[in-house]
């Protein structure tokens, strides 16, 4: 069991916190790209790592993610006008580009260079794998986008969904590392006879005849995070082996998510008590093609 101080260390992700600074070293998924369907569409409110942001699509199609509050009087940029390659504050018309630079200052005298001294907090933003990604870290040049196998597949071969959950990111993440709960939560007490879909993998999980845990866990550090494995004896006599790669800061592939389907999970803190869950599901054959096609692989 973790102590209260350890839990606070791992679940507080606001600016300046150790875990928050760790998350900010990576590209993290923010929202689905279809939520910004076209250039100059309405901005979208966004809260990530306890920061209130606005995400918007520029006239040229590029994306921006910036602080919610205008630096002048704190008005929400969500109500601004998205037009002509800039987002204009509704209060006094101050206009900013996707990099946070002030490009028009209607309240300033003609010829004044004051606008060139004004900026608001803006983060690098990319559209990739049907997701809007944001880099909130200190590097001038952001790191590469995460080459997770499910992100390399065409849209037609991946099912993707996302949802908000009222718990911290760690509470949701730990379920991926808990194979014992699968035999109860994702099964029925009659050995799945009343569950034709066999929610997890089509295997007989043996709850009725073998409810006790019978196996072991092991963990190994990797260059990108950790590799977790478990071995369990099934009531059918077969041995179930589960291998789960976890990649920093909160990406993992917990194994089968249905008959012949894998799940790639990404859990991103909204704040200290809520999180956004992004899930991409794909078939094993697609998984093999994606792995061989990853950049830098022969």
């Amino acid at each position: 069991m973790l102590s209260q101080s350890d839990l606070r260390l791992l679940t507080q992700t606001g600016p300046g916190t150790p875990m928050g600074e760790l998350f900010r070293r990576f590209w993290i998924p923010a929202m689905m790209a279809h939520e910004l369907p076209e250039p100059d569409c309405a901005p979208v409110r966004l809260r990530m790592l306890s920061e209130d942001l606005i995400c918007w699509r520029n006239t040229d199609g590029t994306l921006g993610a910036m602080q919610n509050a205008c630096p002048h009087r704190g008005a929400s940029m969500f109500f601004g006008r998205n037009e002509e390659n800039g987002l204009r504050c509704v209060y006094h018309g101050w206009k900013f580009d996707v990099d946070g630079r002030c490009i028009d200052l209607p309240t300033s005298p003609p010829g004044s260079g004051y606008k060139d001294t004004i900026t608001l907090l803006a983060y690098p933003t990319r559209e990739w794998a049907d997701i809007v990604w944001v880099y909130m870290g200190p590097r001038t040049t952001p790191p590469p986008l995460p080459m997770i196998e499910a992100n390399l597949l065409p849209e037609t071969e991946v099912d993707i969904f996302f949802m908000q959950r009222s718990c911290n990111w760690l509470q949701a993440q730990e379920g991926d590392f808990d194979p014992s709960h699968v035999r109860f939560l994702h099964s029925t007490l009659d050995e799945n006879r009343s569950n034709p879909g066999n929610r997890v993998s089509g295997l007989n999980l043996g709850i009725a005849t073998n409810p006790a845990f019978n196996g072991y866990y092991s963990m190994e550090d990797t260059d990108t995070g950790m590799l977790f494995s478990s071995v369990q004896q099934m009531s059918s006599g077969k041995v179930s082996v589960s291998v789960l790669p976890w990649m920093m800061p909160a990406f993992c592939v917990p194994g089968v998510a249905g008959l012949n389907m894998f799940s790639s999970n990404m859990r991103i803190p909204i704040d200290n008590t809520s999180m956004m869950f992004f899930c991409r599901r794909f078939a094993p054959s697609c998984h093999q093609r994606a792995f061989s096609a990853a950049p830098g692989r022969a």
Side-chain angles (χ1 to χ4, degrees), residues 22-40:
L22 176 64
F23 267 96
R24 285 167 172 81
R25 263 54 178 184
F26 299 86
W27 284 99
I28 52 178
M31 56 186 292
M32 298 300 300
H34 68 250
E35 295 182 83
L36 295 169
E38 59 188 8
D40 292 336

Side-chain angles (χ1 to χ4, degrees), residues 200-230:
V200 178
S201 62
L203 296 174
N204 178 352
L205 298 180
I207 296 302
T209 58
N210 187 20
F213 172 77
N214 183 11
Y216 65 88
Y217 299 144
S218 67
M219 287 176 284
E220 180 179 348
D221 291 337
T222 67
D223 292 340
T224 57
M226 183 181 70
L227 194 66
F228 172 86
S229 61
S230 68

Side-chain angles (χ1 to χ4, degrees), residues 144-242:
L145 286 159
M147 293 293 118
I148 301 171
E149 289 89 337
N151 291 344
L152 303 174
L153 294 168
E155 181 180 357
T156 55
E157 296 185 357
V158 179
D159 292 327
I160 182 168
F161 63 89
F162 66 110
M163 67 186 75
Q164 180 176 339
R165 289 180 172 172
S166 298
C167 63
N168 65 57
W169 75 275
L170 186 62
Q171 287 174 296
Q173 181 83 87
E174 67 179 356
D176 287 338
F177 296 87
D178 177 16
S180 297
H181 87 278
V182 175
R183 314 177 76 188
F184 292 90
L185 182 63
H186 298 290
S187 305
T188 57
L189 296 178
D190 61 354
E191 298 185 336
N192 276 332
R193 285 189 295 272
S194 63
N195 182 19
N198 289 356
R199 302 177 201 172
V200 178
S201 62
L203 296 174
N204 178 352
L205 298 180
I207 296 302
T209 58
N210 187 20
F213 172 77
N214 183 11
Y216 65 88
Y217 299 144
S218 67
M219 287 176 284
E220 180 179 348
D221 291 337
T222 67
D223 292 340
T224 57
M226 183 181 70
L227 194 66
F228 172 86
S229 61
S230 68
V231 178
Q232 298 185 63
Q233 180 72 46
M234 314 307 286
S235 60
S236 63
K238 296 181 179 180
V239 174
S240 171
V241 179
S242 175

